[in-house]
Amino acid sequence: MENHLITSIISATIICGTPLIIVAIGTLVAEKSGVLNLGAEGMMSVGAVAAFAVAFSGGSPLLAVLAGMAAGCAMSLLFGFLTLTMLANQVASGLALAIFGVGLSAFIGKPFESAPIGIVPPIPIPVLADIPVIGPALFNHQSLVYFSWLLVGAVIWFLYRSRWGLVLRAVGESPSAAHSVGYKVIALRYAAVAFGGAMAGVGGAFMSVYYTPLWAEGMVAGRGWIALALVVFATWRPLRVVLGAYLFGGVMISQLFVQGSGLKLDVPAQFLSALPYAATIIVLVVISRNANTIRLNSPVSLGQPFRADS
Amino acid sequence: MSYDHRRTRRLFTGLVAGLGIAASALADEPLKTCFLYSNPIGESGWTYQHELARKELVAAVGNKITTKFVENIAEGPDAERVIRNFVQEGCKVIFTPSFGFMEPTVKVARQAPNVIFLNGSGYKTASNLGVYNARYYEGRYLEGVLAGAMSKKGVVGYVGAFPIPEVLQGLNAFAQGMRSVNPNAQIKLIWVNAWYDPGKERDAASTLMKLGVDVMAYATSGVSIVTTAEEKGVYTLGYYSDVSKFGPKTNLTSIMHTWGPYYVKVIEDVLAGRWKSGNVVGGLREGMIRMAPLNAAVPADVRERFVRAERDLIEGKLHPFAGPVIDQDGKERVPAGKVLSVEELNSMNYLVQGIDGTVPKK
């Protein structure tokens, strides 16, 4: 029974953290190229509704995720056009994208409001899933959970082991230097922004097709904003993003288990709601308590427009 | 052309009103009735039920009124702006069904004495401002009866929204109903501190199921608790709307907020010139809440028990908070032979016996 409970908590924590990881890792790549896109909440919402529409119309979960990915990507390209081509302010454009995306998703989603769709079954990984306690907790999940792990691995390899990853980081640090040695700064930034948007769309698809599964206006419920904050608090390091996301999920889920077990907690209601946020922030701040770490890790040109001809 | 006509008529009615025979002249002008909704209408939930009632009103009163609604307006300064707009557009009756709309409604009502305002779930009244609400807890008691009868393990889950009196009334009435059938049954309680967050609601539901509950009720607006439970074959008891389509096999019944007959009555009273302000609170008897048809999974003897309790509530023979009501700490809140007063109901801040959880401080 004790084991069973621990299994449940770990398993629920991983599911809770998954959309945050996918969205935050996408955002991290975009920010590493020097582009600050605050529109994650909007891109997630549009991704969620697009994925749900496909799933509801009889598409497979994979097709639904691809639709969410395409929708998030399209939204981010709109942002890219405004900020990279038209050189609009990134912060303002990103905020506008967030608000626009939430509204647009509500509009598109009207016919799907609370329509039920089937559950996506978990896929147990052979052998590993049979390990007592941690087996079912770690290796019996829906496909997108495994995808989030592969994504993190791939992004770490790309950013720190591949030549193009080095170029991308160089573009984020010093776009004019990268430009002067012949790299197409704007094109690379477009690619990074598109990747960020695609991953936000996948995160949205996870919410509406895998997690709840339903479409309802406002169902992303701030997870896009949490993902954005995770990137900063993780000081742009992928593994810390994962740590932060699971920590957030873990505190959230444990808090529910503690309540459900009838433990007497004499604390204000608002404190319980704030706990996952507070815990995540505190731990990530402690990890990077040296102010220089944040300064040294943040891409130097983050948020600054770049004009190739200047 | 029709515009000119309307303007002429408005001018004419204005002149007639000036002569002091306004009532007769206004009678042939349809009564403009406006609704302010705090959420998107959607397919179930609080706002959806008010929208159903508006449609019922239109069907019942027909061309004697015109209606209009605005949805998804935040509680706060925005609400006041929209209500003010309603008045300027010529709305004669304005419904603002949300507790958070109370203060803006009071403010605008003071400045528009010729318009009738009706605020749902608030408590402040004026001569042109009435409030209305329902005894949701009567339905909760009935859901509790079902939970007590249908739970095999005697462990029932409840997902709370915020620990305010209305939610606590429902939760406690649910416990009273449950224990009337199964005196040893226990409720596992989780507060999610949100009215609406499908992801978090789903997590709370999964947590409760992992902790071994086999029946669940909730006070939040999403339907993800029902869909999650359906997936695992755990029974649910719905709220706001009939949510059986989200849990065809497992949703036992729902408490349906039913404002239609009340809205029709208000408008008929206004049209007949006999409307009076007041605080209207209705329950099962008045039809302001109704129970959705029971699921086929409910056996005949439980069904019978449910129907009997429902009838007794309607006839006033049964009160969910008839003494003895004992709280969690064993303190007697209502002695035998007494019934909880309205003031005590409205300030409820404790949990009754049988609930394995706490009231978080506000």
Side-chain angles (χ1 to χ4, degrees):
Chain A
M1 184 64 203
E2 201 69 25
N3 291 345
H4 174 66
L5 205 62
I6 290 169
T7 306
S8 303
I9 292 176
I10 298 174
S11 173
T13 295
I14 288 173
I15 296 169
C16 194
T18 295
L20 301 179
I21 292 177
I22 297 174
V23 179
I25 289 291
T27 301
L28 182 142
V29 170
E31 291 190 7
K32 278 284 184 190
S33 81
V35 184
L36 181 64
N37 182 355
L38 297 177
E41 182 83 3
M43 297 188 293
M44 267 186 95
S45 301
V46 173
V49 77
F52 189 86
V54 167
F56 183 70
S57 315
S60 67
L62 176 67
L63 217 57
V65 170
L66 289 176
M69 191 186 273
C73 195
M75 291 287 285
S76 69
L77 288 177
L78 176 68
F79 171 84
F81 175 74
L82 290 174
T83 56
L84 300 176
T85 305
M86 308 304 286
L87 302 183
N89 180 293
Q90 292 181 9
V91 171
S93 306
L95 290 174
L97 189 74
I99 298 164
F100 170 63
V102 171
L104 180 69
S105 67
F107 176 69
I108 300 171
K110 268 282 172 229
F112 309 111
E113 192 81 37
S114 299
I117 55 166
I119 307 288
V120 180
I123 305 167
I125 294 181
V127 187
L128 289 177
D130 298 331
I131 304 170
V133 190
I134 59 163
L138 298 178
F139 304 113
N140 187 17
H141 283 291
Q142 294 166 318
S143 51
L144 273 191
V145 172
Y146 306 130
F147 168 79
S148 72
W149 298 343
L150 295 177
L151 175 70
V152 173
V155 164
I156 291 175
W157 175 84
F158 170 78
L159 283 178
Y160 302 105
R161 291 279 179 273
S162 78
R163 195 174 77 86
W164 282 104
L166 184 68
V167 173
L168 188 85
R169 285 189 289 144
V171 163
E173 296 300 324
S174 174
S176 42
H179 176 68
S180 66
V181 292
Y183 290 112
K184 292 191 162 44
V185 171
I186 298 297
L188 275 163
R189 283 187 167 177
Y190 257 110
V193 166
F195 177 75
M199 288 309 109
V202 174
F206 181 78
M207 291 299 298
S208 67
V209 178
Y210 288 70
Y211 195 36
T212 7
L214 57 87
W215 166 256
E217 186 178 343
M219 64 170 295
V220 171
R223 285 172 181 81
W225 298 110
I226 298 170
L228 284 180
L230 273 179
V231 177
V232 179
F233 286 112
T235 58
W236 293 269
R237 292 181 186 185
L239 281 178
R240 285 188 182 176
V241 166
V242 176
L243 175 75
Y246 285 154
L247 192 76
F248 180 87
V251 176
M252 168 95 87
I253 297 296
S254 313
Q255 184 252 105
L256 296 177
F257 269 95
V258 166
Q259 282 198 58
S261 313
L263 251 77
K264 304 278 178 205
L265 280 182
D266 201 17
V267 291
Q270 288 80 357
F271 179 76
L272 287 179
S273 323
L275 201 59
Y277 303 86
T280 311
I281 291 171
I282 290 167
V283 169
L284 290 171
V285 165
V286 168
I287 294 174
S288 51
R289 62 192 173 284
N290 183 352
N292 284 330
T293 326
I294 293 187
R295 200 142 29 89
L296 291 176
N297 279 294
S298 93
V300 175
S301 74
L302 188 61
Q304 289 163 10
F306 174 74
R307 205 189 302 261
D309 54 11
S310 62
Chain B
M1 176 197 154
S2 75
Y3 175 76
D4 280 348
H5 171 70
R6 220 179 301 149
R7 196 161 62 170
T8 321
R9 193 162 68 166
R10 204 178 295 158
L11 187 69
F12 176 72
T13 42
L15 283 170
V16 176
L19 289 170
I21 44 170
S24 63
L26 281 169
D28 63 351
E29 181 104 5
L31 187 76
K32 192 161 183 190
T33 307
C34 302
F35 295 79
L36 180 67
Y37 299 145
S38 54
N39 296 314
I41 292 166
E43 287 291 314
S44 65
W46 172 263
T47 295
Y48 177 70
Q49 293 302 119
H50 285 278
E51 174 61 7
L52 284 186
R54 186 191 65 83
K55 288 183 177 152
E56 209 178 314
L57 174 67
V58 170
V61 189
N63 54 12
K64 279 183 259 173
I65 64 167
T66 58
T67 64
K68 142 169 202 166
F69 67 84
V70 175
E71 61 178 323
N72 203 11
I73 298 300
E75 298 173 341
D78 243 9
E80 192 183 321
R81 180 179 59 77
V82 179
I83 300 170
R84 229 174 262 287
N85 270 350
F86 277 165
V87 172
Q88 270 159 14
E89 287 170 19
C91 298
K92 291 291 167 220
V93 180
I94 299 174
F95 288 94
T96 59
S98 183
F99 182 80
F101 289 157
M102 180 174 74
E103 291 300 343
T105 308
V106 169
K107 234 165 138 183
V108 182
R110 212 174 286 145
Q111 291 155 3
N114 297 323
V115 177
I116 291 172
F117 295 85
L118 291 135
N119 173 234
S121 78
Y123 57 85
K124 289 188 180 170
T125 57
S127 60
N128 64 332
L129 164 61
V131 295
Y132 61 100
N133 210 345
R135 296 189 296 269
Y136 313 107
Y137 61 84
E138 293 180 348
R140 286 295 190 193
Y141 183 90
L142 290 173
E143 289 196 336
V145 168
L146 280 183
M150 298 297 285
S151 171
K152 287 195 179 70
K153 300 184 203 159
V155 189
V156 174
Y158 204 104
V159 178
F162 289 97
I164 60 168
E166 188 182 298
V167 174
L168 292 171
Q169 287 161 18
L171 170 60
N172 285 335
F174 183 88
Q176 297 280 98
M178 179 186 78
R179 303 268 274 197
S180 77
V181 180
N182 183 350
N184 296 318
Q186 284 285 330
I187 292 173
K188 288 193 183 292
L189 169 66
I190 292 183
W191 295 102
V192 288
N193 298 307
W195 288 116
Y196 179 76
D197 181 341
K200 213 167 163 189
E201 292 168 44
R202 190 203 108 110
D203 288 336
S206 309
T207 303
L208 286 169
M209 290 190 288
K210 298 268 169 61
L211 291 168
V213 310
D214 54 5
V215 181
M216 275 194 290
Y218 57 91
T220 47
S221 288
V223 292
S224 59
I225 292 173
V226 180
T227 54
T228 308
E230 172 83 0
E231 180 191 332
K232 298 271 155 56
V234 166
Y235 292 131
T236 53
L237 295 152
Y239 197 55
Y240 297 113
S241 307
D242 182 356
V243 294
S244 56
K245 68 171 169 177
F246 302 106
K249 289 200 285 289
T250 52
N251 184 247
L252 299 176
T253 185
S254 304
I255 298 165
M256 300 187 292
H257 295 192
T258 317
W259 309 107
Y262 166 73
Y263 281 5
V264 172
K265 188 179 176 307
V266 167
I267 294 301
E268 280 172 349
D269 284 354
V270 171
L271 288 171
R274 59 167 185 255
W275 180 84
K276 269 196 200 65
S277 165
N279 187 346
V280 176
V281 181
L284 288 165
R285 187 187 311 141
E286 296 81 359
M288 278 166 102
I289 57 162
R290 281 177 194 161
M291 304 308 290
L294 295 185
N295 193 292
V298 180
D301 57 325
V302 179
R303 212 169 266 266
E304 208 172 290
R305 184 152 200 168
F306 177 89
V307 171
R308 202 164 53 228
E310 187 177 25
R311 198 186 49 226
D312 287 351
L313 280 167
I314 290 173
E315 289 173 3
K317 282 190 225 157
L318 173 67
H319 192 288
F321 295 108
V325 175
I326 317 279
D327 75 10
Q328 263 183 334
D329 306 323
K331 194 173 142 201
E332 189 180 72
R333 294 287 182 158
V334 185
K338 285 251 166 62
V339 166
L340 204 66
S341 72
V342 174
E343 294 75 47
E344 287 169 317
L345 262 173
N346 291 340
S347 59
M348 192 171 264
N349 63 351
Y350 56 87
L351 298 174
V352 299
Q353 266 187 340
I355 301 172
D356 199 9
T358 49
V359 183
K361 282 183 188 157
K362 261 182 266 174

